[in-house]
Amino acid sequence: MQNKILVANRGEIALRIIRACKELGISSVAIYSTADTDSLHVKFADEAICVGSEKSTNSYLSMNNIISAAIATGCNAIHPGYGFLSENEKFAEIVEKCNIKFIGPSSKVIEQCGNKARARKIAQECGVPVVKGSNGVVKSLDEAKVIAQEIGYPILIKAASGGGGKGISIVKNEEELTRTFEKTMLEAYANFGDRSVYLEKLIENPRHIEIQILADHYGNVIHLGERDCSIQRRNQKMIEETPSPFITEKLRERMGKDAVKIAKYLGYVSAGTVEFVVDKEGNYYFIEMNTRIQVEHPITEMVTGVDLVKEQIKIAYGQELSFKQEDITFTGHAIECRINAEDVEHNFAPSPGKINNLVFPGGFGVRLDSHLYSNYVVPPYYDSLLAKLIVHGQNRKEAIRKMRVALEQFVIDGIKTNIEFQYLIMHNPDFVRGSYDTSFIKRFLELVRSEA
Ligand code: ADP
């Protein structure tokens, strides 16, 4: 049987996967909603099949429609990309039961990592440090009060099934805890269909450092270094870079080893990311494991030369990793800016609509992963990511310079974007020095607004 992959996603990541399939000589089938009929992923795949109407719940989140599409088109694998159903263990389980390869870890592993309270326990069992917090899910406010006393304020209430920076509340004292606890549970239920929450001590202004891993079916597990994703707005990443200006060789090695330890313990197969927060002293703490390809994966590809999406596909089809830990080397410095359809001046409100003039940046060491084309209409139904602008330089200074030039030459007319905002960050002295943490954007916004 010839290999054929259903790409269960849209936008730039669908294109990224289709391109990898083409390079590997594997047929690809795009799925699309009625809002995406004119999308590039529909045009570039070998086949395309409509899976429902505009709303994601009727299309990109419809397990029945997607699995039927895979069967109808004779696919023997499904790549879920990121978001949508990529970390849904039920979806992975049905795919497995239909004898279709799910390009990702097993449904069992997804389930173990999907509940972040459980994932914490797994990290602890591996001897990997976690942030001080509750021992699993906290069921009542009374229980939360006792635990909060023990760990000390400020603390975070986190949705166990949360993701994408949502379902996290900070509380500074018992009064705030009382006010927020049940509200967070309700929000967790509304957003993730699961009301369970757990508590974690707030690490003041940490860095977000994550380790990329790859694991095959034969017990080979390697890491591909870190990504610094500390430039975030409301716990959502905006700029990522590797290597982290903050991480020493020693720390990289220790964190890498710990990430591999967790993956081995889980029996993990495919690409995955182990996320940590790191405090000012360089103490690191596990926060969660993401069982999919990450938005920011290209920066790791640029410095290691490893095509992570191709590796995911090869692993899913049973190939052994063709390299070992000692073969992984890091060359130069890579930065990614997420270009979103949003109105920075109006609290980053989504800005869908028609794109008129479009000019893509380019040149040596510049990579653009995007599904945009001129006259494309950005639909209002999905996330606001328009493009990922990635640069690779010999060192951090060169990468920043390249990013400045690329942002300057990037034109998207017709809708509002954050291109200029990213450009300003690339000139901020703290960013240029590499001296930042997860509070950077908040402070930067105050600075920009005070100067306006
Ligand atoms: P999600 O699954 O929604 O991405 P995470 O648990 O990965 O949620 O956390 C998202 C972000 O929130 C992190 O990148 C970090 O900036 C912040 N964060 C999470 N846990 C802590 C913590 N214990 N202390 C300080 N910041 C945290």
Side-chain angles (χ1 to χ4, degrees):
M1 183 182 166
Q2 221 213 326
N3 289 332
K4 195 173 183 184
I5 296 176
L6 185 100
V7 182
N9 217 299
R10 64 180 299 283
E12 70 81 24
I13 194 64
L15 285 183
R16 170 75 187 86
I17 300 162
I18 291 164
R19 286 177 179 139
C21 289
K22 282 190 189 292
E23 285 180 39
L24 290 167
I26 296 173
S27 308
S28 57
V29 178
I31 61 163
Y32 63 99
S33 73
T34 49
D36 277 340
T37 319
D38 296 325
S39 289
L40 277 191
H41 74 282
V42 177
K43 295 195 178 101
F44 287 176
D46 297 313
E47 287 171 55
I49 182 163
C50 183
V51 290
S53 56
E54 299 95 336
K55 262 184 84 181
S56 324
T57 40
N58 298 330
S59 49
Y60 298 107
L61 287 172
S62 168
M63 298 191 208
N64 283 345
N65 294 5
I66 293 171
I67 290 166
S68 303
I71 294 169
T73 52
C75 288
N76 62 1
I78 295 182
H79 196 307
Y82 52 68
F84 295 125
L85 294 170
S86 60
E87 290 179 290
N88 186 310
E89 70 267 14
K90 285 195 198 86
F91 179 64
E93 195 186 338
I94 303 170
V95 173
E96 287 160 4
K97 283 196 176 136
C98 292
N99 238 338
I100 297 172
K101 290 179 201 308
F102 179 81
I103 303 180
S106 68
S107 54
K108 199 176 135 262
V109 168
I110 298 175
E111 190 196 354
Q112 282 177 299
C113 298
N115 185 309
K116 299 202 294 186
R118 196 174 320 135
R120 267 171 64 87
K121 277 193 190 152
I122 290 167
Q124 277 173 305
E125 281 161 27
C126 292
V128 174
V130 299
V131 189
K132 247 186 356 192
S134 60
N135 209 350
V137 165
V138 181
K139 299 231 162 51
S140 68
L141 176 61
D142 286 341
E143 194 188 338
K145 281 182 184 167
V146 176
I147 299 164
Q149 273 305 331
E150 275 167 29
I151 57 182
Y153 292 93
I155 58 165
L156 294 174
I157 312 171
K158 283 182 159 186
S161 300
K166 297 197 185 86
I168 303 176
S169 316
I170 300 180
V171 289
K172 295 199 192 75
N173 49 48
E174 195 166 298
E175 192 202 323
E176 287 185 13
L177 178 69
T178 309
R179 241 187 300 132
T180 316
F181 187 74
E182 270 161 23
K183 206 170 124 224
T184 310
M185 281 173 114
L186 289 175
E187 273 169 20
Y189 185 74
N191 283 301
F192 311 106
D194 172 12
R195 65 200 304 267
S196 37
V197 296
Y198 63 104
L199 303 184
E200 228 173 60
K201 173 123 185 118
L202 176 87
I203 306 290
E204 304 273 357
N205 304 335
R207 288 187 87 120
H208 172 115
I209 306 287
E210 58 186 34
I211 304 285
Q212 175 70 52
I213 63 119
L214 273 178
D216 66 14
H217 282 102
Y218 311 96
N220 301 304
V221 186
I222 60 158
H223 77 84
L224 295 101
E226 84 283 8
R227 291 184 288 257
D228 192 324
C229 313
S230 306
I231 307 285
Q232 307 178 343
R233 181 177 163 268
R234 299 193 170 162
N235 299 326
Q236 287 179 25
K237 299 162 189 167
M238 203 179 231
I239 297 171
E240 301 93 354
E241 65 176 313
T242 185
S244 165
F246 180 75
I247 298 294
T248 60
E249 190 55 50
K250 248 191 180 154
L251 197 52
R252 174 175 306 115
E253 207 183 304
R254 278 174 52 212
M255 293 176 78
K257 276 192 177 146
D258 275 354
V260 167
K261 222 195 277 176
I262 293 172
K264 282 196 168 151
Y265 182 85
L266 284 164
Y268 197 94
V269 172
S270 193
T273 300
V274 182
E275 295 192 332
F276 299 93
V277 281
V278 186
D279 69 16
K280 300 271 167 305
E281 285 76 43
N283 301 306
Y284 62 89
Y285 308 93
F286 169 91
I287 49 172
E288 66 165 336
M289 173 142 195
N290 287 319
T291 56
R292 53 170 157 80
I293 192 80
Q294 304 268 101
V295 175
E296 59 274 21
H297 76 274
I299 55 170
T300 299
E301 296 182 326
M302 302 313 278
V303 298
T304 60
V306 175
D307 184 321
L308 291 169
V309 177
K310 274 204 231 165
E311 290 305 322
Q312 274 191 306
I313 296 171
K314 289 198 270 186
I315 289 168
Y317 281 116
Q319 282 190 35
E320 196 172 346
L321 277 179
S322 60
F323 37 80
K324 298 197 160 39
Q325 187 66 61
E326 53 270 28
D327 300 323
I328 301 297
T329 52
F330 304 97
T331 309
H333 196 99
I335 305 177
E336 172 181 278
C337 283
R338 297 190 189 195
I339 307 303
N340 298 329
E342 58 194 14
D343 185 351
V344 176
E345 275 159 32
H346 290 94
N347 206 22
F348 297 82
S351 174
K354 188 173 171 187
I355 289 170
N356 308 320
N357 192 26
L358 182 67
V359 181
F360 279 166
F364 184 39
V366 178
R367 167 177 171 181
L368 191 75
D369 283 19
S370 173
H371 56 293
L372 296 191
Y373 59 88
S374 29
N375 296 323
Y376 172 70
V377 179
V378 179
Y381 311 103
Y382 314 110
D383 74 25
S384 59
L385 185 71
L386 296 172
K388 302 187 313 202
L389 178 55
I390 304 122
V391 296
H392 183 220
Q394 284 184 358
N395 51 46
R396 190 166 187 269
K397 200 169 161 193
E398 191 185 71
I400 292 175
R401 289 208 168 135
K402 267 187 205 290
M403 185 60 91
R404 288 176 182 170
V405 176
L407 287 165
E408 228 168 62
Q409 298 181 348
F410 198 169
V411 180
I412 303 176
D413 280 343
I415 57 170
K416 297 254 195 303
T417 75
N418 63 343
I419 292 178
E420 197 186 325
F421 189 72
Q422 297 280 25
Y423 183 78
L424 291 176
I425 294 177
M426 287 301 134
H427 290 80
N428 175 272
D430 285 339
F431 180 80
V432 172
R433 265 200 308 275
S435 147
Y436 61 80
D437 55 45
T438 55
S439 69
F440 175 86
I441 293 281
K442 204 169 152 252
R443 282 183 287 112
F444 182 70
L445 272 171
E446 282 161 8
L447 183 79
V448 171
R449 282 176 185 150
S450 72
E451 282 173 356

